Structure formats: structure tokens, C-alpha cells
DNA sequence: TCGCACATGTAACGTGTTACATGATTCA
DNA sequence: TGAATCATGTAACACGTTACATGTGCGA
């Protein structure tokens, strides 16, 4: 059990397979047609990733011979794969995640239903909100510390980043409310 | 002049060097301390990137021997490097850029002052706004087409993406106004 | 003298991208 | 017959990450 990096794509695959066992081709379709596309798509990424996951024992593939155009390999997560997914979902949110891995955080949230634990999801959202607000403080500081001759374009680019994070903060507050209302 | 991929990091370096000639170490500092950090940072990325750019003739490095603790290599863009930067800045915005390379677009905008062409910057913003709105339409469609048993978390994750793009659309409108007001 | 800031790099490793290869079946 | 869709893969290539290596000068 050596240290291994699991990429966002790996988690995306694991999550999708948890949702429903399916083939590499099916998965590709999802990436091509939905917003999940930002987590890859090309066959050159997806098939090797599935092979990796299989070698690591996180997914299992059964060849479906029944009346297929061509033998189709249907993957589903193993017990270990489900655990890996859950560990990732339950992981604490760090500053770094918010600064440089926003997309991965969103992916994590999208699969949070797997935990089936309303309290955990609320903690996730609250922690996300806190980190975003903290980072916003730093961005504001950077905005004020910009040297005088900074061109308008550069200022506006930073402003765009700030607006993006503000949108996430607002979203988190709304999401928390949504989970309060939709309760037992 | 063979086809070569220029990465966002390459452009970030080119842009920063256009702003002011400086050493690899200086550049690292910028990545470490500002929001530019999302375009890399680690020395293992930055020094090889500078070497690449030098091999391609996009930057030139002079060793500064004058009373330095240790010889410092100060890079500045060549004519070809400045052209490459300008070409990138003036490039038309495509749907793909908005879908999967938002960060690169923002970087591009941050350096748009290099063109010193208000009209070009406005065209950039208008085109950006249009593409974002188009993509928002598609995201809305995806939101409505979600199958009934889609968990709340997955719905909210898509909603977060939508809010993010809405924020960019608003920002673009404000930025366009900023350029109208601040005019000749 | 100890450690920190300055300053530049290399090596191993894995991953994604692009492009190509293959072959069966369905539909016009 | 030819094109599109189903279905899976490989090969070349380059890039980024992490970790390590190296050495100087300054301040406590």
C-alpha cells in the first residue's frame, strides 16, 4: 500500500461508477455531453485511468458478452474503491483547495450524496464558506496593495477573481439554507 | 518554426517579463505571493519553462555579475517573444476557452494593457461576454434536463457552476462600462 | 555559528493531450 | 456502398509536481 496520487479524473470515474456501473464508452459520453466535461473526456485519458483503477483494485470490470456489438467492459467500484471515494468526500477542506483546486471541490460536492449524511454535507459547506471568505480577505488585501501604476486591465482581472469567489460564498450560503429546509 | 505548444505558464512568464525584466527567482516570488500563483510556482516548473522560452528565442537572459550574492540571470522578452505575446492577447475567444480555460482567459485579460489598444480590449470583453452568455444557456438546459432522481448535491454543484459564470457575465458588463468611462 | 533569504537548478515519475488504429453494426 | 455510431485501445510527447542538490552572504 504505497503512497499513490489519485487524480480528480480518478475520483470523477469512481463517483460516476458508484452512481451506476458502466463502460468506458458510457463514461466518455457523460464527459462529452455534460458539464463534467471539465474533468477530461479524451479516450486517451479515460481508458488508461480505468486500467489504473483496476490495477489498484478500486474498480472491477466484467466483460458483457451478451448480444453486444462488441464486447463491452462494464466497470463497478470495489469495496476498496467505495472507501477511497468516501475518504475523499469526507476530507477536510484546506486553504489550498480553495485557492487552486476549486473545480475538484465542486466535483467532491457533486458526489457528496454518496455519504448520505446531511450533517457531513453541511459541515462541508460551512467549511467551504469559511475558507472562501478567508481567501476573499486576502484577495482584497492584494487589491489594495497593488502599486499605483497598475493598468486597469490587471486590476479588473483581479476583480474578476474576487467576484468569482464572492459568487461561491453566496452560493454556499444558499446551499446551506437549502439543506436546512430540506430536512427530516 | 515548427508547431509548438505554448502553455499558460509560458505566457504568464512572457507577460511578467514584458512588464519588467527579471530573474527566475523574482518571478517565483510573484507566483508565491500573488493570485498569479494559480499559474504555477514551483521552481521545477519555472526554471525549465524559462529555458524553453530561451531556446525558442522568445526571451533572452543576461547574467548580472555586478555585486550579486550569486550571479543572477535577468530575462527579458525578445522581439519574437513580444510578438508571440501580442498574438496570444489578440486571439479570438472560442467557446472552448470559456468552457475549459477560464483561468487562461483571465490571464490574457490581465496582460491586455500590453496591446495598448482600448478598442481591442473592448472587443475582447464583448466577445467574452457573448460566449459566457451562450454557455450559460447550455448550462441552464443541462439543469432542466437533469433526470428526476438527481440528488440535491449534484443539482447544487451545477448551480454553483452557473453562478460562477453569471458572476463573470456581470463582471464583463461592468468592465465594458469601465472602459467606456475611462476614455479619450 | 546557526539559520534564513538569496538564487538556480536537476531527476524521477506520472499524467493528460493529440493523433492514430481497429473493427462490428446500423441506416440511408 | 459509404457514413455514422458503437466500443476499446495504443504511442509519442511534453508538461507539472515533488523532492532533492548546491552554494553564498547576512543578521542574531
Amino acid at each position: 500500500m504505497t503512497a499513490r496520487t489519485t487524480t480528480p479524473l480518478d475520483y470523477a470515474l469512481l463517483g460516476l461508477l458508484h452512481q451506476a456501473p458502466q463502460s468506458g464508452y458510457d463514461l466518455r459520453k457523460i464527459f462529452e455531453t455534460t458539464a463534467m466535461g471539465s474533468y477530461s473526456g479524451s479516450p486517451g485519458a479515460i481508458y488508461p485511468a480505468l486500467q489504473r483503477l483496476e490495477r489498484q483494485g478500486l474498480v472491477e470490470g466484467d466483460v458483457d458478452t451478451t448480444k453486444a456489438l462488441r464486447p463491452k467492459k462494464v466497470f463497478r467500484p470495489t469495496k476498496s474503491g467505495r472507501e477511497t471515494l468516501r475518504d475523499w468526500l469526507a476530507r477536510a477542506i484546506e486553504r489550498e483547495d480553495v485557492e487552486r483546486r476549486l473545480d475538484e471541490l465542486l466535483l467532491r460536492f457533486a458526489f457528496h450524496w454518496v455519504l448520505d449524511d446531511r450533517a457531513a454535507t453541511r459541515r462541508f459547506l460551512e467549511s467551504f464558506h469559511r475558507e472562501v471568505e478567508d481567501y476573499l480577505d486576502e484577495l482584497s488585501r492584494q487589491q489594495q496593495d497593488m502599486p499605483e501604476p497598475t493598468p486597469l486591465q490587471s486590476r479588473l482581472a483581479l476583480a474578476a477573481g474576487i467576484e468569482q469567489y464572492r459568487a461561491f460564498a453566496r452560493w454556499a450560503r444558499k446551499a446551506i439554507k437549502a439543506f436546512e429546509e430540506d430536512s427530516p
Side-chain angles (χ1 to χ4, degrees), chain A residues 109 118 121-122 125 171-183:
Chain A
F109 186 73
R118 210 170 240 89
T121 296
R122 270 199 56 173
L125 285 170
W171 168 83
R173 287 191 289 269
K174 271 206 323 210
I176 289 168
K177 269 188 199 147
F179 272 92
E180 275 168 357
E181 279 158 23
D182 168 77
S183 59

Side-chain angles (χ1 to χ4, degrees), chain A residues 92-142:
Chain A
I93 295 178
E94 286 159 39
R95 173 64 169 268
E96 277 272 294
D97 296 322
V98 166
E99 272 187 52
R100 311 181 59 159
R101 287 186 288 269
L102 262 182
D103 49 343
E104 193 185 328
L105 279 183
L106 236 18
L107 184 66
R108 246 163 97 176
F109 186 73
F111 288 122
H112 230 256
W113 58 268
V114 165
L115 292 178
D116 192 29
D117 179 348
R118 210 170 240 89
T121 296
R122 270 199 56 173
R123 278 198 305 277
F124 181 98
L125 285 170
E126 271 152 14
S127 157
F128 176 73
H129 184 258
R130 202 178 320 122
E131 295 293 339
V132 167
E133 292 283 5
D134 280 2
Y135 189 46
L136 271 168
D137 286 345
E138 203 202 296
L139 290 177
S140 297
R141 239 172 291 130
Q142 277 185 34

Side-chain angles (χ1 to χ4, degrees), chain A residues 136 139 158-168 170:
Chain A
L136 271 168
L139 290 177
L158 180 55
I162 290 178
E163 289 306 324
Q164 192 192 5
Y165 281 98
R166 284 215 183 110
F168 276 117
R170 279 193 301 271

